[in-house]
């Protein structure tokens, strides 16, 4: 939450000045990433992204458009995104009611009642994604366009203030929300209008003059007003609401926020909330916030005055290498935040995660993955984290915490030392999943140390997900995956399809990639009830679920095919697997940075492709095609094209890759059916393998018209 009502008050005082954008020519503009992304979302935001389970489809286009605007006006943008959240002491993580699930359910009810426009508006208020979830995608776009960016160790406001005030001037101006004023900057750009070719900015001295306060009192009145790190001072709340002017008035009257709290401490809510402690914590968190210095080290602002117990304000300190990897976008915040906060939280997905299948995937499979990741990672980060208790908690069972790691876990490390690779050549030689699996035994060094090469990192991820053993041998899961990967061949979008095959293999083994309905099924309530007999319906479900793992290419205009909540539920399960894979990669990088430093990891190119998690448009397209095929009459593909228009983009590419993936899943299922070693394939997977074979033969006729 930004500083409460400060924007309204600044408008009332008319303090925003407007200047032509040409005044910023040849400057390095520091941009607060989350505030900028919020504005991008306001332009790209649509209910379709919630209904299809992905990021707004217009987001990338909006970002590129903004970058072109900066380039055309000779502005060099430097994006700074927030990193880890500061430590909080407000108790239970699910204490605040989340109304988004009920809004999403209401939107689906509207959609099924043929009120599509109302449903889209309702969906637009219930995005399941926080802005932080979108940052990895945004970083990929920025990197592709060679734009500078970094993640701050904690709040981006502090990092921007440090860069702006540094003698070497890495940035010349700040484009941010007004929150950055708390960090003693003299001016801030609050808005840029590409249409008008102007920007709006506010001068700190003008605030001081109009409010009648000293410059250092701006921090006090902002904290009293309330923002992310501190609630609003209870004495300022009234039945008619809150005005920022009241925070200004008491700061001016009592000369400081602390004095105001002491003089007005008789307020009941102030006493019960221990507000003075919250105020002072926020005050010191701003004054001594942790930033990354230009030499790559990490430390507080105003270090000569910083308290010794700053970890109680900000959070437990991590190794410097971890902050450097975070700054470059090589690792993402979730794993680090889990270690610092001591908890991994699972929030409701786009479909609301109501099925027992999804919840079982979270509580059993995902929990087991993070449990095995924690032991070696915590051990590599030093004695404190080796004893750290880490728990996992899900929104559907908030009172039940699963212990992922504690002091006893260090004695039961699942992986031991990081896997060592004897791969020759470049430390970041590109290697496909198939190549790494084929050479897994060779890549396990009998002696040696971790190198941090991409092949080694890929092998570590495959090991964490259960595809290979510590000795490099394939598990039943790994043998099945390799067969699927080899069936893909060299054509197509290799990296994305290979990871999609890995996700499909895990979901198949977990009993989720089948043609059966889940315990909570929505298709009978849908706008377009299922067609055909039960056998055909199961084939449609299975092949459409596979297609949700394939990105929809070149999508244009408003989506015109039917939405499908059952496919949305399946894509949510796929995202759980992708998130675990990304966390495994981050964990492997952090372990190796602790062993060999972060230098060798700086040029790592390995990524878990995000295309698989963008949206389920591919599944919706294939579902429409197969449903049309079931209804018969010939020309099923033409009927789908007529209905969809240009909203399906390059549909033939999507369908070609879907069929490649279907054939890979068929090869995988056949191999998995055989079992491996002492492993016996459960009857459910035997039946699912038969369904895959039959669905493949049946769907070939529908795809044949397109391919």
């Amino acid at each position: 939450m930004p500083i409460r009502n400060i924007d309204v008050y600044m408008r009332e005082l008319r303090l925003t000045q407007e200047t032509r954008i040409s005044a910023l020519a040849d400057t390095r503009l520091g941009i607060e990433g989350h505030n900028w992304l919020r504005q991008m979302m306001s332009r790209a935001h649509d209910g379709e992204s919630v209904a299809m389970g992905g990021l707004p489809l217009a987001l990338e286009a909006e970002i590129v458009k903004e970058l072109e605007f900066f380039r055309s006006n000779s502005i060099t943008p430097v994006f700074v995104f927030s990193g880890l959240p500061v430590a909080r002491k407000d108790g239970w993580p699910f204490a605040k009611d989340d109304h988004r699930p009920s809004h999403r359910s209401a939107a689906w009810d509207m959609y099924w009642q043929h009120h599509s426009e109302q449903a889209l508006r309702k969906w637009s208020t219930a995005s399941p994604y926080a802005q932080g979830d979108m940052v990895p995608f945004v970083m990929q776009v920025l990197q592709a366009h060679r734009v500078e960016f970094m993640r701050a160790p904690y709040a981006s406001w502090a990092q921007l203030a440090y860069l702006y005030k540094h003698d070497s001037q890495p940035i010349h101006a700040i484009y941010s929300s007004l929150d950055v004023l708390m960090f003693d900057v003299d001016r801030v750009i609050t808005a840029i209008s590409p249409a008008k070719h102007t920007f709006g900015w506010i001068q700190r001295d003008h605030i001081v003059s109009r409010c009648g306060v000293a410059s250092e009192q701006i921090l006090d009145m902002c904290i009293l007003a309330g923002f992310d790190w501190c609630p609003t001072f209870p004495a300022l709340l009234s039945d008619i609401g809150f005005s920022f002017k009241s925070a200004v008035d008491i700061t001016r009257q009592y000369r400081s926020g602390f004095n105001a709290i002491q003089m007005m401490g008789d307020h009941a809510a102030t006493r019960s909330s221990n507000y003075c402690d919250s105020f002072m914590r926020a005050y010191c968190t701003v004054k001594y916030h942790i930033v990354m210095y230009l030499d790559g080290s990490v430390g507080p602002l105003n270090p000569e005055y910083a308290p010794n117990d700053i970890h109680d304000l900000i959070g437990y300190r991590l190794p410097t290498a971890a902050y450097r990897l975070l700054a470059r976008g090589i690792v993402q915040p979730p794993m680090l935040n889990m270690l610092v906060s001591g908890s991994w939280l699972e929030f409701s997905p786009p479909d609301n995660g109501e099925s027992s299948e999804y919840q079982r995937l979270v509580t059993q499979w995902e929990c087991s993955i993070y449990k095995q990741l924690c032991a070696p990672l915590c051990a590599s980060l030093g004695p404190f984290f080796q004893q750290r208790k880490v728990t996992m908690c899900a929104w559907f069972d908030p009172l039940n915490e699963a212990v992922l790691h504690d002091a006893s876990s260090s004695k039961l490390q699942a992986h031991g030392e990081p896997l060592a690779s004897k791969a020759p050549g470049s430390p970041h030689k590109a290697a496909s999943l198939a190549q790494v699996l084929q050479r897994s035994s060779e890549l396990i060094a009998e002696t040696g140390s971790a190198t941090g090469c991409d092949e080694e990192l890929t092998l570590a991820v495959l090991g964490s997900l259960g595809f290979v053993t510590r000795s490099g041998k394939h598990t039943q899961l790994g043998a099945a995956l390799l067969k699927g990967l080899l069936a893909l061949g060299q054509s197509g979008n290799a990296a994305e399809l290979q990871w999609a095959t890995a996700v499909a293999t895990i979901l198949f083994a977990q009993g989720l990639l089948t043609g059966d309905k889940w315990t909570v099924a929505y298709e009978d309530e849908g706008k377009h009830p299922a067609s055909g007999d039960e056998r055909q319906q199961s084939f449609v479900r299975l092949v459409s679920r596979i297609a949700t793992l394939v990105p929809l290419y070149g999508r244009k205009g408003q989506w015109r095919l039917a939405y499908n909540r059952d496919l949305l539920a399946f894509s949510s399960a796929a995202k759980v697997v992708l998130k675990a894979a990304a966390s495994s990669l981050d964990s492997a990088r952090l372990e190796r940075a602790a062993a060999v430093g972060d230098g060798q990891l700086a040029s790592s190119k390995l990524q878990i492709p995000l295309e698989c998690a963008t949206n389920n448009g591919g599944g919706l397209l294939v579902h429409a095609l197969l449903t049309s095929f079931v209804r018969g009459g010939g020309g099923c593909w033409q009927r789908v094209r007529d209905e969809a228009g240009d909203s399906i983009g390059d549909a033939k590419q999507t369908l070609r890759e879907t069929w490649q993936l279907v054939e890979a899943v068929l090869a995988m299922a056949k191999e998995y059916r055989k079992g491996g070693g002492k492993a016996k394939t459960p009857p459910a997977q035997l039946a699912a393998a038969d369904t895959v074979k039959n669905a493949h033969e049946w769907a070939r006729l529908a795809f044949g018209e397109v391919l």
Side-chain angles (χ1 to χ4, degrees), residues 206-268:
H206 295 170
I207 298 175
V208 169
S209 175
R210 292 294 301 274
C211 294
V213 297
S215 180
E216 60 271 16
Q217 291 173 328
I218 289 179
L219 172 58
D220 294 61
M221 65 191 196
C222 289
I223 297 176
L224 290 172
F227 69 115
D228 278 338
W229 303 339
C230 185
T232 303
F233 184 32
L236 300 181
L237 300 174
S238 67
D239 294 337
I240 61 174
F242 167 77
S243 169
F244 188 83
K245 184 177 185 298
S246 60
V248 175
D249 291 341
I250 66 168
T251 302
R252 184 171 58 242
Q253 179 180 353
Y254 295 109
R255 311 306 300 168
S256 75
F258 179 79
N259 290 344
I261 296 167
Q262 296 301 306
M263 296 302 294
M264 304 174 72
D266 291 337
H267 193 281

